Amino acid sequence: MAYRGRMMSGAGPAPAATGYAVACTLSLMLALGIAPAAAQMDLTGMWVPLPRNQDGSGDTGDAAGIPWSIDGRRRAHSWSAEEFDTAEWVCRPHAWNYSIEGPLSQIRFLPIIDRATQRIIAYRGHIQMEQQETVIWLDGRPHPPANAPHTWSGFTTGEWEGDVLVTTTTHLKEAYMRRTGLMRSDRATVRTRWRRIGNYLQATTILYDPIYFSEPYVRSTNMWVNMPERPMSPYPCEEATETVVPRGSVSHFLPGRSPLPGLDPDRADEFGTPYEAKLGGAHTTLPGYVDELAGMEVAPDGADPAAVFERPPGEDIAPQPLWGIEPQGAPAPGEIQVLPVQGNVHALFGAGANITVQAGEDGVLVVDTGLESMSEAVLEAIRSISDGPIRYIVNTTHTREHTGGNDVIAAAGEQVPWRDANYSSGPQGALGRDKASVIAYLNVFTRMIVPPDGGEPLPEGGWPDNTYSTPWKRLHFNDEPVVIAHRPGTSDSNSVVLFRKSDVVSAGDLLDLTRFPRVDPDTGGSIQALVDALNYLISIVAPAENSAGGTLVVPGRGRIADYAEVAYYRDLVGVIRDRIQDMIDRGMSREEVIAAGPTWGYDARYGSDSGDWTTDMFVGAAYDSLAR
């Protein structure tokens, strides 16, 4: 879909004989110098995959020919096959760019026609593998902002280069490149070249991923034949308990303990691939590497399984820039980006922590207010959504990037009418009728008036005057139930806000898609409490088909998310928790744990060596919370 936002200042394969016929036909065309006409082709039709080679030897863990980065290698080698048996991931599909590689890649392409001009403005594609769908937009529309939701198929635009349709896909969820833990990150862009040659369709993909690959990865060409008589089989899925893996658990292997056969130096695959080659890296993709294989031992004596944690040769090669694609990032400093979420809810980005706004006939409810310096820009952004009175502010935690604008934004609002005009204050001991009521868990109030860092208290006008100390507080506002639940995680003051009719959750700092979580043991936070809170989020965030869509989530930082992002984030926090706990159990000190780098596999995506929240600070805080 086209995502609009604003910026405010402040079936089985065909017979093998068919594949042979295709190969002969293409060879004859090349031999005779016959080239298709340089004109736009029609992709419409039912396309059935021809027999094809699958990359890799099939030896689980083998990564020969994969130009992955150190994080890509480390992430894959903590993977456990039990992940497929985790209830939360029962219906997680393979992404579109993965599914076109497999034997169940039957595709139906249908045109989307502009009625006025009768031109094809897009193709809608449906693939048999887990019923993934995509739209290839041909009308020149831009890609959405970076903070818009990501999907398994992403957002795709296409341009014709003669008779080749070149498509560019962004806004992809993290997903498998191979079903053995080799991941493609949510920062990736996929370029695909589609070409129709008579009754055959050809596609070649190039993956650009700055997180898990050190250089572009070209997947081998795929081929389909047009068979309009072939029906498309359905591929339904529903969540079900089919496993003994407990819900809420995270399946993975601790460092150096993976039993994957591809990581066993003493095991030889059916092709006799040397152990060193199976570790992968950009150097294993080069033609000259074949000559190097002749001098390698297949199963060398004394090989160290820990070599999987060493940096692959050539890993530091920087990913090449994309052809003409400039990723749309976060708002510029001083600007607020406004994006619709769904129902009555919008999200504001750029004021510090993300802000959630629910608006309707009763007025405006705001979740978090951002930094004090951005208050006026936030007010302007709110007024672009609704000119109704700001009635409520909900704070999901006590930190200034969530509460700094309370004073200014509350003063711009008014209390919900209460009793009569002669009654001076509002409900719950509100400070006055001429300001919005500020709702928060009780601990938020105490930390605003006595900041944990010893700094100055927040201005009195921004203090919560509508606190709760029970497990939840409920409102009915703008014809919608609003449930505010206390869920300790990064501190003991976290709240989660559920807009039940709009089907949106504002998660605050419990979900941060830009960095490792800011756990603060000094204010009651712990990494175990955060895992528990994320499991709670998973329980209330209901996905639509294929673990996507459904309930949308506004995180404390980063883009609009859904069920899959919450589950992925729970997994990474759970994995790091288990690694640190194992190190503590083995008697390692705080300094030794930090030096060991237990965040490996996730550093390129979430880590930082500078700023106010570094990777080492996170590891230290997680250690402290577990050691206590």
Side-chain angles (χ1 to χ4, degrees), residues 88 91 239 503 538 540-551 562-564:
E88 290 88 331
C91 289
E239 185 178 292
D503 203 13
I538 289 172
I540 66 171
V541 175
E545 187 178 12
N546 290 332
S547 299
T551 308
D562 62 23
Y563 176 92

Side-chain angles (χ1 to χ4, degrees), residues 149-167:
H150 288 37
T151 67
W152 302 112
S153 296
F155 186 92
T156 302
T157 56
E159 296 181 348
W160 289 98
E161 293 183 2
D163 63 344
V164 177
L165 178 60
V166 182
T167 64

Side-chain angles (χ1 to χ4, degrees), residues 422-489:
N422 294 323
Y423 195 78
S424 60
S425 66
Q428 304 294 326
L431 297 175
R433 294 175 57 87
D434 57 348
K435 65 179 290 293
S437 179
V438 181
I439 302 173
Y441 191 70
L442 182 59
N443 292 352
V444 173
F445 173 76
T446 59
R447 297 214 167 90
M448 281 188 184
I449 61 176
V450 184
D453 61 2
E456 292 295 319
L458 204 72
E460 183 178 352
W463 293 354
D465 54 12
N466 196 340
T467 60
Y468 74 103
S469 56
T470 53
W472 62 80
K473 176 183 176 66
R474 293 182 287 201
L475 304 173
H476 197 276
F477 192 65
N478 290 321
D479 194 31
E480 176 166 39
V482 182
V483 182
I484 307 162
H486 175 229
R487 302 305 300 190

Side-chain angles (χ1 to χ4, degrees), residues 256-511:
R257 303 184 196 177
S258 174
L260 297 182
L263 304 183
D264 185 351
D266 299 323
R267 176 186 173 90
D269 62 31
E270 61 180 310
F271 302 105
T273 309
Y275 173 68
E276 179 184 326
K278 289 191 286 187
L279 297 180
H283 63 297
T284 67
T285 69
L286 303 176
Y289 190 68
V290 175
D291 298 329
E292 297 181 33
L293 295 178
M296 297 180 186
E297 295 183 63
V298 174
D301 292 334
D304 183 6
V308 299
F309 305 114
E310 298 173 358
R311 189 174 298 276
E315 181 271 331
D316 54 347
I317 300 173
Q320 299 299 307
L322 301 179
W323 300 313
I325 295 296
E326 293 294 333
Q328 299 186 48
E335 290 186 332
I336 303 295
Q337 183 184 64
V338 182
L339 293 179
V341 184
Q342 61 187 7
N344 291 336
V345 179
H346 287 69
L348 276 56
F349 304 88
N354 294 338
I355 296 170
T356 308
V357 177
Q358 183 235 37
E361 292 185 357
D362 295 338
V364 177
L365 183 154
V366 180
V367 181
D368 293 328
T369 57
L371 296 167
E372 181 181 6
S373 61
M374 296 296 294
S375 296
E376 294 301 329
V378 169
L379 277 175
E380 183 182 354
I382 292 172
R383 292 308 178 208
S384 75
I385 298 170
S386 172
D387 58 3
I390 300 172
R391 304 285 200 187
Y392 290 107
I393 294 171
V394 181
N395 288 144
T396 61
T397 192
H398 62 277
T399 58
R400 294 296 177 96
E401 64 179 359
H402 292 267
T403 62
N406 277 15
D407 187 32
V408 173
I409 294 172
E414 62 184 58
Q415 184 58 265
V416 173
W418 183 252
R419 296 188 179 179
D420 56 59
N422 294 323
Y423 195 78
S424 60
S425 66
Q428 304 294 326
L431 297 175
R433 294 175 57 87
D434 57 348
K435 65 179 290 293
S437 179
V438 181
I439 302 173
Y441 191 70
L442 182 59
N443 292 352
V444 173
F445 173 76
T446 59
R447 297 214 167 90
M448 281 188 184
I449 61 176
V450 184
D453 61 2
E456 292 295 319
L458 204 72
E460 183 178 352
W463 293 354
D465 54 12
N466 196 340
T467 60
Y468 74 103
S469 56
T470 53
W472 62 80
K473 176 183 176 66
R474 293 182 287 201
L475 304 173
H476 197 276
F477 192 65
N478 290 321
D479 194 31
E480 176 166 39
V482 182
V483 182
I484 307 162
H486 175 229
R487 302 305 300 190
T490 57
S491 74
D492 59 13
S493 63
N494 299 110
S495 289
V496 172
V497 184
L498 168 62
F499 299 94
R500 289 183 59 184
K501 191 173 182 179
S502 295
D503 203 13
V504 175
V505 171
S506 185
D509 274 349
L510 297 179
L511 183 65

